[in-house]
Amino acid sequence: MKFCSHCAASITVKIPLDDSRERHVCDACGMVHYQNPRNVVGTIPVFGDQVLLCRRAIAPRHGYWTLPAGFMELGESTSAGAARETMEEAGAMVTMGPLYSLLNVAHAEQVHLFYLASMTSPVFSAGEESLEVALFSEHDIPWQELAFPTVKQTLEWFFIDRAAGILTGNHPVTVRSRDILPAEKI
Amino acid sequence: MKFCSHCAASITVKIPLDDSRERHVCDACGMVHYQNPRNVVGTIPVFGDQVLLCRRAIAPRHGYWTLPAGFMELGESTSAGAARETMEEAGAMVTMGPLYSLLNVAHAEQVHLFYLASMTSPVFSAGEESLEVALFSEHDIPWQELAFPTVKQTLEWFFIDRAAGILTGNHPVTVRSRDILPAEKI
Ligand SMILES: [Zn+2]
Ligand SMILES: [Zn+2]
């Protein structure tokens, strides 16, 4: 950020008088341009005992598998954004369930939120950001070819919790949460 | 947003070629300036059977009571941000518990996240953004003077769940979640 989006003057990084941390402040109009983490919202789309994954057609991690997810947009809820991404990337209509995982990726300035979701039919198709989309049983998950640590962690939790019988709809779902470290790669 | 923060040229709102919704696009360098919802993170600070509230010293809702909460900053997790706000606004040190509520406030372009938190001692003090800070028993909560619908809803859920005995630490905590409508005022 080099110029003020409000008046086009130059920006200085400094601590405003009433603040305690460095901000991008306009030299002319004084506007403080705050920067905040962004939410990535997605689903674990389930059909029977299988989970739907998308192979990425875009950077980063082109060619790797992911759960459908993307940046939350203005004007939508976390849940609605997750359902939208599932339709856009995987062509799948889902009935949204509860929030299942919240992963902080502080070094990427992101929070990843995954919802449980039930596919109403085994209908899916690759959207523009996907090379292919497929249903996987637990023993077929391409663990070595997953795109992001948040996806790997969410799938690991999901299969552990499912095996323990606590994702049946009769149990309250506890949100799984942890921080992802910069060094974590898949 | 009128000018490009990267090159200071003017901005046009249009749908980029590879997109499906309107974005702020630079006329000169072509940079797309995405806008996304922001997270407000806070706690329900509990000491014994009481909850800690702050009376706001800033707009909006100056003079009204709130749970300690504020915008999540770059480089921190949702939980760390909630603990930081609790210290900054209420001068209270807390042991962080699980995520308790997630409220979408789409019309304000915000997501509000409240964590259960235990105060390690009855020590608190008004930060710069608070007029006063106080512990309240359930029957003393100033329901008519709460600042935001997300705070009111979170406190309502909290007292319901506490009365039902499901916030004892022995039960898994289920995240409460709903969308706040534009018409909702306190
Ligand atoms: Zn300016
Ligand atoms: Zn530009």
Side-chain angles (χ1 to χ4, degrees), chain A residues 53-134:
Chain A
L53 299 181
C54 311
R55 201 153 74 86
R56 288 173 63 83
I58 53 171
R61 307 293 284 166
H62 182 282
Y64 286 78
W65 292 90
T66 186
L67 290 163
F71 287 111
M72 184 184 181
E73 299 279 4
L74 294 183
E76 70 184 4
S77 69
T78 46
S79 173
R84 175 186 51 73
E85 289 287 345
T86 306
M87 178 52 73
E88 287 180 5
E89 297 187 353
M93 182 82 79
V94 288
T95 301
M96 291 298 292
L99 180 64
Y100 179 66
S101 67
L102 185 160
L103 297 126
N104 277 282
V105 195
H107 58 279
E109 304 173 349
Q110 294 174 3
V111 180
H112 290 208
L113 300 150
F114 289 97
Y115 282 81
L116 295 175
S118 301
M119 294 171 65
T120 48
S121 68
V123 173
F124 52 84
S125 59
E128 290 193 356
E129 298 185 358
S130 303
L131 295 171
E132 59 179 313
V133 178

Side-chain angles (χ1 to χ4, degrees), chain B residues 38-51:
Chain B
R38 294 196 289 172
N39 291 333
V40 171
V41 291
T43 62
I44 308 157
V46 175
F47 186 76
D49 73 341
Q50 295 185 298
V51 172

Side-chain angles (χ1 to χ4, degrees), chain B residues 1-77:
Chain B
M1 189 183 300
K2 292 187 280 188
F3 302 99
C4 178
S5 58
H6 184 66
C7 79
S10 60
I11 291 283
T12 298
V13 175
K14 64 181 180 184
I15 302 177
L17 275 182
D18 59 348
D19 208 328
S20 59
R21 62 182 69 206
E22 289 190 334
R23 308 287 182 187
H24 290 77
V25 183
C26 176
D27 295 336
C29 77
M31 184 176 282
V32 181
H33 298 277
Y34 295 98
Q35 296 183 294
N36 303 89
R38 294 196 289 172
N39 291 333
V40 171
V41 291
T43 62
I44 308 157
V46 175
F47 186 76
D49 73 341
Q50 295 185 298
V51 172
L52 194 67
L53 299 180
C54 310
R55 201 153 74 86
R56 289 172 63 82
I58 54 171
R61 305 293 285 164
H62 182 280
Y64 287 78
W65 292 90
T66 186
L67 290 164
F71 287 111
M72 183 184 181
E73 298 279 4
L74 294 183
E76 71 184 3
S77 69

Side-chain angles (χ1 to χ4, degrees), chain A residues 4 6-7 26 29:
Chain A
C4 177
H6 184 66
C7 80
C26 176
C29 76

